[in-house]
Amino acid sequence: MSDYPAPEPLIQVLPEAESLGRAAAARMASILLESPEGMPLYVALAGGNTPRLVHDVLSTTFRERLPWDRIFLFWSDERFVPLDDERSNYRMALETLISKVPIPPENVFPTPVHHATPEEAADAYEETIRSVLGERGFDVVFLGMGSDGHTASLFPGCDALEEKLRLVRAVDAPDYADPRQRITFTLPLIARSEHVIFVVSGADKRDALRQVQQGHSHLPASRVKSHGTVEWFVDAAAFGEESPA
Ligand code: 6PG
């Protein structure tokens, strides 16, 4: 454990959703393009809707500029539904990114939701992550944040939030989350990463974002650490500034 306090999270406030997507995509591209030639680049995509803003830019502006043949995609969380279910985070990424860029299919590692139970799926995904990445962490982990301060599928008060050893856990989300059965990265796995990029949009996230930025550790999103940087890309609505007229 480092003797030094974790660096302050870096935050960028963008005027609206489209510029938010452009800024976060540009940051991911800068990280990946700075990596040594030929090295595999491990990226975990976030779930929910906000990542669409980033995928739209990655699949157009950066389509020809990223080394897709050495980028390997995972998911920082997934709903325990079939991959073609409209609630699937994989399906959203397939439609908005993967189907639009020249990434080899063998570089894409969906959460194995075909298993009989979320627990078996979590075990299998952890095994895959350990076999592909070994002891190293992801180069980039994308995360979103819910209005309750959850991130990935680590919800306030859930026991997976206190996991110290496992890399992937099955969780039962609160009854306001549909679907409730989910598979999520744990804080120890996220903490191995070189860069965490949060992308947060919308006024409904304002209270949680303010608490996280003030360092309230009871919210899951405020407990995210990485080996390198934790960067927040948020729009004015989420930050609490009115969008410029
Ligand atoms: C999920 C996500 C979840 C998401 C937040 C924000 O599977 O739902 O991983 O953690 O990032 O709920 O969701 P929106 O981007 O849709 O606001």
Side-chain angles (χ1 to χ4, degrees), residues 37-61:
E37 273 297 311
M39 290 293 286
L41 296 164
Y42 300 110
V43 176
L45 299 177
N49 288 306
T50 307
R52 295 168 183 269
L53 301 170
V54 183
H55 298 175
D56 289 348
V57 180
L58 291 176
S59 62
T60 51
T61 307

Side-chain angles (χ1 to χ4, degrees), residues 46-51 76-79 89 143-146 150-153 182 199 201 204-205:
N49 288 306
T50 307
S76 52
D77 80 320
E78 184 55 282
R79 292 86 180 273
N89 289 333
L143 291 173
M145 184 181 70
H150 83 262
T151 190
S153 283
R182 311 229 177 157
V199 185
S201 170
D204 61 319
K205 312 291 175 72

Side-chain angles (χ1 to χ4, degrees), residues 80 112-124 170 181-183:
F80 190 65
V113 292
H114 60 276
H115 284 272
T117 68
E119 289 72 19
E120 287 173 21
D123 292 350
Q181 290 187 315
R182 311 229 177 157
I183 293 97

Side-chain angles (χ1 to χ4, degrees), residues 86-121:
E86 63 182 11
R87 297 166 296 175
S88 165
N89 289 333
Y90 166 79
R91 174 175 160 174
M92 183 275 281
L94 178 67
E95 291 171 350
T96 58
L97 177 61
I98 296 166
S99 61
K100 298 179 175 182
V101 296
I103 187 168
E106 62 271 21
N107 287 23
V108 180
F109 294 82
T111 310
V113 292
H114 60 276
H115 284 272
T117 68
E119 289 72 19
E120 287 173 21

Side-chain angles (χ1 to χ4, degrees), residues 219-235:
L219 293 182
S222 63
R223 295 177 57 182
V224 165
K225 304 260 185 296
S226 84
H227 268 175
T229 61
V230 176
E231 299 173 68
W232 290 76
F233 291 82
V234 306
D235 62 13

Side-chain angles (χ1 to χ4, degrees), residues 1 45 62-63 78-79 85 92 156 176 187 203 206 225 230:
M1 179 68 75
L45 299 177
F62 291 99
R63 184 182 190 285
E78 184 55 282
R79 292 86 180 273
D85 186 294
M92 183 275 281
Y176 55 77
L187 291 178
R206 193 173 294 180
K225 304 260 185 296
V230 176

